[in-house]
Amino acid sequence: WRAASAALVGGSVAIFGGLRRAALALPRPAAVRSRPGRAWRWRNLLVSFAHSVLAGLWALFSLWHSPELLSDIQDGYSVSGHLLVCFSSGYFIHDSLDIIFNHQSRSSWEYLVHHAMAISAFVSLIITGRFLVAAMLLLLVEVSNIFLTVRMLLKMSNVPSPALYEANKYVNLVMYFAFRLAPQAYLTWYFLRYVDVQGQGAFLTANLLLLDAMILMYFSRLLRSDFFPSLRKGSAGRDVDGEKFLID
């Protein structure tokens, strides 16, 4: 089963590699074509969007279809959840390699840290078969990422309709609370109260707390950028191509 899981992760890496190549053939907005530095980022975001749609809806449907899993976060198991974790592990591996091989590590180091945390945690889940339900809850964040990625694509393309960006801005905020902050807060409470802080439990708890800090930092950036732009120090005249994804 572990060998089969490794094959599934490898297959997922190949799938996202194929999506990346397919993204090369898609038309790009004039604002992206005119600035070569945006070409890689645009393609990377399209692949990220595909993962968010697939993984987010997959996690949502799996938990809706089998709500009894939520009563056993530590030892609950479903084939769908296992496959989802393998699928997303492949995406995180692919995206890490994409960042490194395209020399974007310096501007995207936070993504590499996040992906390393996700990959190591997911590998431990695949090996032990425990905490898969926790991973499914965490992957609900991909529902939020759908709208976060749309936000970044709209900013990069300089979309001429401010109303579209404004509408997505508020939907994105609601989804951020519902599918990112709420599941993360619940899992943090659950791990601190019920999970033994030793072995795998200690490793996953440490990962979860570090992820809490990252999510709150990203949330503060999002609020400053979209709702309190006057609080963004030194934002005037900054080159968008030189900024990190989530600052954008």
Side-chain angles (χ1 to χ4, degrees), residues 66-228:
S66 302
E68 68 277 3
L69 291 172
L70 296 174
S71 64
D72 192 359
I73 289 178
Q74 295 193 48
D75 297 309
Y77 181 86
S78 77
V79 174
S80 177
H82 190 107
L83 294 176
L84 173 59
V85 170
C86 292
F87 177 75
S88 287
S89 296
Y91 165 73
F92 291 129
I93 292 171
H94 168 269
D95 197 52
S96 298
L97 295 175
D98 191 30
I99 290 171
I100 294 169
F101 290 158
N102 284 282
H103 311 291
Q104 300 293 326
S105 300
R106 184 174 181 179
S107 63
S108 306
W109 66 269
E110 293 172 9
Y111 272 77
L112 291 178
V113 171
H114 171 273
H115 290 357
M117 292 164 53
I119 293 166
S120 60
F122 283 3
V123 167
S124 78
L125 308 185
I126 292 170
I127 291 174
T128 65
R130 301 183 71 231
F131 296 105
L132 282 170
V133 180
M136 295 167 71
L137 281 169
L138 283 177
L139 285 169
L140 288 175
V141 71
E142 296 301 335
V143 178
S144 169
N145 281 345
I146 294 172
F147 301 93
L148 185 63
T149 306
V150 167
R151 170 187 176 273
M152 292 187 282
L153 290 171
L154 290 173
K155 293 193 74 169
M156 284 186 63
S157 61
N158 294 334
V159 62
S161 173
L164 181 59
Y165 184 89
E166 285 293 309
N168 184 77
K169 179 174 76 173
Y170 289 101
V171 174
N172 180 42
L173 184 64
V174 172
M175 293 300 175
Y176 205 102
F177 273 102
F179 291 102
R180 187 183 296 262
L181 294 179
Q184 187 75 22
Y186 174 73
L187 279 176
T188 301
W189 169 82
Y190 180 89
F191 267 74
L192 292 177
R193 181 165 184 176
Y194 294 111
V195 175
D196 291 334
V197 186
Q198 58 181 352
Q200 186 186 23
F203 171 69
L204 294 178
T205 300
N207 262 11
L208 197 60
L209 292 175
L210 181 56
L211 188 58
D212 287 343
M214 295 179 72
I215 284 178
L216 291 176
M217 178 180 65
Y218 295 155
F219 186 52
S220 69
R221 291 179 182 176
L222 178 67
L223 291 178
R224 289 199 305 270
S225 178
D226 277 0
F227 298 95
F228 305 102

